[in-house]
Amino acid sequence: ACLVPIYNILTILKIVNKPWWWIFLMLIPIVNIVFLIMVIHRISLSFGKGGGFTVGLLFLGIIFYGILAFGDSVYTKIEDAPAAA
């Protein structure tokens, strides 16, 4: 799934529990940077890590993704908060 260009983004969106139409937001310049940071932050939250780990994923991804892959981190699905009425 990681080698297919659009399918890999869909897989990541599935992991972070976001709708499929966010892929269109990933195609808009400048907006894609903001949404990519949001997705990476949700990845770190899904594995029980904090904001510092998100910064590590952004700047030293090869090391920090390795920590997620081979460390003792456990994936837990993050549910979105219900919208206020």
Side-chain angles (χ1 to χ4, degrees):
C2 69
L3 298 177
V4 182
I6 300 297
Y7 183 62
N8 65 358
I9 298 173
L10 287 172
T11 304
I12 290 172
L13 290 175
K14 189 179 200 182
I15 290 170
V16 298
N17 197 24
K18 286 296 176 188
W20 65 270
W21 54 265
W22 270 37
I23 192 124
F24 297 120
L25 299 173
M26 298 287 191
L27 299 175
I28 302 171
I30 307 299
V31 174
N32 62 354
I33 296 170
V34 174
F35 278 88
L36 181 65
I37 292 171
M38 289 171 54
V39 166
I40 291 174
H41 182 63
R42 286 185 63 97
I43 288 173
S44 69
L45 291 177
S46 295
F47 284 94
K49 307 297 184 185
F53 202 84
T54 301
V55 173
L57 286 172
L58 286 170
F59 294 112
L60 296 170
I62 192 80
I63 295 169
F64 282 81
Y65 280 112
I67 292 171
L68 286 181
F70 301 113
D72 59 353
S73 302
V74 177
Y75 171 76
T76 54
K77 186 175 181 179
I78 297 177
E79 297 296 330
D80 290 329

